[in-house]
Amino acid sequence: MASLPSPPFISIEGIHNFRSLGGYPTSIPNPAITRSDLLFRSAEPSQVTAAGIAALKALNIRTIFDLRSLPEIKRIGLLTPRIEIEGIEQIFIPVFKDIDYSPEAIALRYKDYTSNDGTEGFRRAYADILEQGAGSFRTILLHLRDKPQEPCLVHCTAGKDRTGILMALILQLVGVEDHVIAEEYALTEVGLAAWRDTILKHLMKDMGEEGREGAERMVGARAVNMLASLEMIKSKYGGPEGYLKQMCSFTDHDIQKIRTNVTEGRKAVL
């Protein structure tokens, strides 16, 4: 696996796109930074090695939240059996239980929106994820509310779309500036660089060479797509607080606890 800049990337042998959500400057509830030792994100971990498992345990990760659908897990399982990791609980909370929502599937589902810059396709896809994934996201947010001493990892297939919009929602909740959230999201292009050609190869089988330009946009992680999605959260829900209240049944007190638990007072290190 290619060497990636650290922070925020952390080398976990056998897992792509692994990084911490820590070190980002916040403004809510007070100026602070996001914790670097609580919340991690990545692509699917089925190929993690013994050294990678040791690295996960060194980070004190004891819970892994899996946002993938059953079709995705079954497809990957045909190639690589799921690895049970002693001492780490893996919790299956699919955003779409029976629908493939891998980057390839999203590109196909929203291919009518890949014209121009593709931003509308991402905004629609992420709106669907937020609507369908509220129960899954609530489970993770409850962990952040109730178990701030227990680091966790969140992943989907690529760690880009379902994982990406949840991480953006959390950063938005604590007042990280939109352009910083979008830049954090765009880091996925770095984290998935070694895997990108494989994803595109699979896409070309279904979309054909004429669809390459749109496919490349849809498997990317351009900052402008996240900026549009953050505006969608504001316009549709009134902001992240509105989403947590309307879709996840959280109270103001719950939201305050989550904000406090995911931040710390040290100086930001961007």
Side-chain angles (χ1 to χ4, degrees), residues 22-98:
Y24 295 99
T26 72
S27 60
I28 305 171
N30 298 298
I33 63 169
T34 52
R35 286 175 54 185
S36 60
D37 60 349
L38 175 61
L39 185 56
F40 301 89
R41 57 178 295 178
S42 76
E44 62 88 14
S46 64
Q47 298 185 61
V48 66
T49 65
I53 291 173
L56 289 175
K57 292 183 176 181
L59 292 170
N60 294 315
I61 291 172
R62 294 295 178 265
T63 305
I64 296 177
F65 293 104
D66 186 348
L67 298 173
R68 294 175 298 169
S69 65
L70 286 172
E72 292 169 80
I73 292 174
K74 290 178 180 177
R75 185 181 69 240
I76 291 175
L78 293 174
L79 303 174
T80 307
R82 176 171 173 165
I83 295 178
E84 297 296 332
I85 305 174
E86 183 179 357
I88 298 180
E89 182 182 12
Q90 298 186 63
I91 301 176
F92 176 57
I93 46 171
V95 171
F96 301 92
K97 184 176 180 180
D98 299 311

Side-chain angles (χ1 to χ4, degrees), residues 23 50 63 66 70 75 94 100 103 121 132 134 183 188 193 199 208 219 225 229 236 238 247 265:
T63 305
D66 186 348
L70 286 172
R75 185 181 69 240
D100 188 342
Q132 298 297 319
E183 289 167 7
T188 287
I199 296 173
V219 300
N225 297 328
S229 298
K236 186 172 183 178
M247 302 299 292

Side-chain angles (χ1 to χ4, degrees), residues 55-205:
L56 289 175
K57 292 183 176 181
L59 292 170
N60 294 315
I61 291 172
R62 294 295 178 265
T63 305
I64 296 177
F65 293 104
D66 186 348
L67 298 173
R68 294 175 298 169
S69 65
L70 286 172
E72 292 169 80
I73 292 174
K74 290 178 180 177
R75 185 181 69 240
I76 291 175
L78 293 174
L79 303 174
T80 307
R82 176 171 173 165
I83 295 178
E84 297 296 332
I85 305 174
E86 183 179 357
I88 298 180
E89 182 182 12
Q90 298 186 63
I91 301 176
F92 176 57
I93 46 171
V95 171
F96 301 92
K97 184 176 180 180
D98 299 311
I99 301 174
D100 188 342
Y101 232 76
S102 62
E104 301 99 316
I106 287 180
L108 291 172
R109 186 170 291 112
Y110 295 93
K111 64 182 178 180
D112 291 341
Y113 301 96
T114 57
S115 59
N116 299 321
D117 64 3
T119 298
E120 176 62 15
F122 276 96
R123 190 195 65 79
R124 287 173 60 92
Y126 291 173
D128 286 349
I129 291 170
L130 286 167
E131 183 173 343
Q132 298 297 319
S136 304
F137 293 169
R138 174 177 166 81
T139 298
I140 297 167
L141 291 164
L142 283 171
H143 181 97
L144 299 177
R145 185 193 71 180
D146 299 336
K147 300 179 179 180
Q149 74 284 6
E150 298 183 19
C152 64
L153 168 65
V154 178
H155 76 87
C156 45
T157 293
K160 181 176 81 75
D161 299 308
R162 287 157 293 189
T163 302
I165 194 64
L166 173 61
M167 297 300 121
L169 184 74
I170 292 169
L171 291 176
Q172 195 178 36
L173 185 69
V174 296
V176 176
E177 294 184 4
D178 284 2
H179 75 91
V180 175
I181 298 173
E183 289 167 7
E184 194 283 331
Y185 166 78
L187 287 172
T188 287
E189 293 208 345
V190 179
L192 291 180
W195 201 9
R196 189 169 184 272
D197 287 344
T198 300
I199 296 173
L200 282 173
K201 184 178 179 181
H202 287 307
L203 270 177
M204 292 302 101
K205 293 179 182 178

Side-chain angles (χ1 to χ4, degrees), residues 208-228:
E209 188 61 36
E210 66 276 8
R212 173 175 288 274
E213 185 177 353
E216 288 180 344
R217 284 195 291 269
M218 292 304 286
V219 300
R222 299 170 63 236
V224 65
N225 297 328
M226 180 51 69
L227 288 172

